[in-house]
């Protein structure tokens, strides 16, 4: 067994393998393929490149930049347009799902969208007033969603996701004036003295 440093990321039906050289990559992919063959599992052929689109993200390994993929942003824009046109529970949760996906994958702390999370909590409380999902008026226009304030809020959240970009192997926060935790113990958000937003990624809060 060669002594090789590598990272492997398993996500539902995706496997992402990161190595330091082409030679290491060949050895590790062969080892992985041998294991699958032994288990009788048929998998797609590997996509080998220094950039890839996976998990809704565009990942550029050479530039060390990760950002939402064009497909992910198209989903957010479509959901936002549908919500603006017909502000129902169903369309709100469609938009919420597309936003939460990007926030999770791009490690955007939910503290950055606290107003949106407040709106989500209020809409969720509305759902609890019904005894079963069948009773919820999913397709009825909601006054709490059909107003300019909510439309601006959802537009701002979509813009935040659209502009999300992670650069470098680790992003650490400079000294903070105000700090916020998203309560997941996986990200810490802060606002610096110059009012710049910064956050540390995937570093557990002690």
């Amino acid at each position: 067994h060669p002594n090789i440093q590598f990272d492997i990321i398993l996500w539902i039906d995706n496997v992402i393998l990161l190595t330091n050289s082409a030679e290491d990559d060949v050895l590790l992919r062969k080892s992985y393929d041998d294991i699958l063959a032994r288990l009788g599992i048929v998998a797609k052929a590997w996509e080998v490149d220094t950039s890839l689109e996976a998990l809704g993200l565009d990942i550029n390994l050479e530039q060390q930049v990760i950002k939402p993929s064009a497909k992910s942003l198209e989903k957010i824009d479509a959901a936002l347009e549908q919500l603006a046109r017909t502000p129902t529970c169903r369309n709100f949760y469609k938009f919420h799902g597309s936003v939460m996906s990007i926030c999770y994958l791009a490690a955007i702390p939910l503290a950055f969208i606290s107003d949106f999370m407040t709106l989500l909590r209020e809409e969720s409380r509305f759902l609890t007033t019904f005894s079963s999902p069948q009773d919820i008026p999913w397709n009825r226009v909601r006054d709490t969603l059909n107003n300019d304030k909510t439309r601006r809020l959802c537009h701002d959240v979509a813009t935040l996701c659209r502009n999300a970009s992670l650069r470098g192997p680790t992003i650490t926060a400079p000294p903070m004036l105000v700090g916020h935790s998203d309560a997941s113990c996986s990200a810490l958000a802060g606002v610096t003295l110059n009012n710049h937003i910064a956050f540390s990624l995937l570093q557990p809060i002690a």
Side-chain angles (χ1 to χ4, degrees):
H1 298 287
N3 184 18
I4 298 175
Q5 288 189 330
F6 67 97
D7 287 310
I8 187 166
I9 303 166
L10 305 178
W11 181 273
I12 307 175
D13 59 350
N14 285 276
V15 177
I16 301 173
L17 181 64
L18 304 174
T19 60
N20 294 314
S21 71
E23 293 77 14
D24 290 352
D25 189 68
V26 170
L27 284 172
L28 287 166
R29 283 192 288 114
K30 183 180 184 310
S31 298
Y32 187 85
D33 289 342
D34 288 346
I35 293 171
L36 293 187
R38 223 174 295 137
L39 296 173
I41 297 174
V42 178
K44 291 181 180 178
W46 290 93
E47 296 178 22
V48 183
D49 208 337
T50 55
S51 63
L52 68 154
E53 180 181 330
L55 313 182
L57 299 173
D58 280 333
I59 304 170
N60 189 311
L61 299 174
E62 287 184 324
Q63 298 178 8
Q64 294 189 327
V65 173
I66 300 174
K67 60 184 181 179
S69 67
K71 288 180 182 177
S72 294
L73 297 181
E74 286 172 6
K75 285 182 180 178
I76 286 181
D77 289 341
L80 178 64
E81 182 180 340
Q82 191 172 21
L83 177 61
R85 188 170 58 247
T86 315
T88 61
C89 279
R90 184 179 302 279
N91 289 337
F92 173 73
Y93 284 105
K94 272 188 184 177
F95 176 70
H96 162 261
S98 62
V99 165
M100 287 299 104
S101 173
I102 292 297
C103 285
Y104 178 75
L105 293 172
I108 300 174
L110 301 183
F112 288 174
I113 56 171
S114 58
D115 289 344
F116 182 76
M117 298 307 293
T118 299
L119 175 63
L120 172 64
R121 183 169 61 247
E122 292 170 352
E123 292 303 306
S124 299
R125 283 174 179 162
F126 168 70
L127 300 187
T128 64
T129 62
F130 297 90
S131 56
S132 72
Q134 290 75 22
D135 296 331
I136 297 173
W138 293 106
N139 296 316
R140 183 192 304 165
V141 171
R142 293 264 298 144
D143 290 340
T144 52
L145 301 173
N146 190 22
N147 57 77
D148 290 338
K149 179 181 177 181
T150 298
R151 279 187 281 271
R152 281 195 303 270
L153 175 59
C154 292
H155 178 272
D156 290 346
V157 170
T159 300
L160 175 68
C161 292
R162 197 176 294 115
N163 295 333
S165 178
L166 308 181
R167 184 179 297 273
T170 343
I171 299 176
T172 55
M176 298 174 186
L177 176 63
V178 181
H180 301 280
S181 164
D182 68 354
S184 70
C185 293
S186 63
L188 184 70
V191 181
T192 69
L193 293 171
N194 295 323
N195 208 30
H196 292 156
I197 293 175
F199 51 96
S200 62
L201 299 176
L202 305 179
Q203 297 177 0
I205 302 167

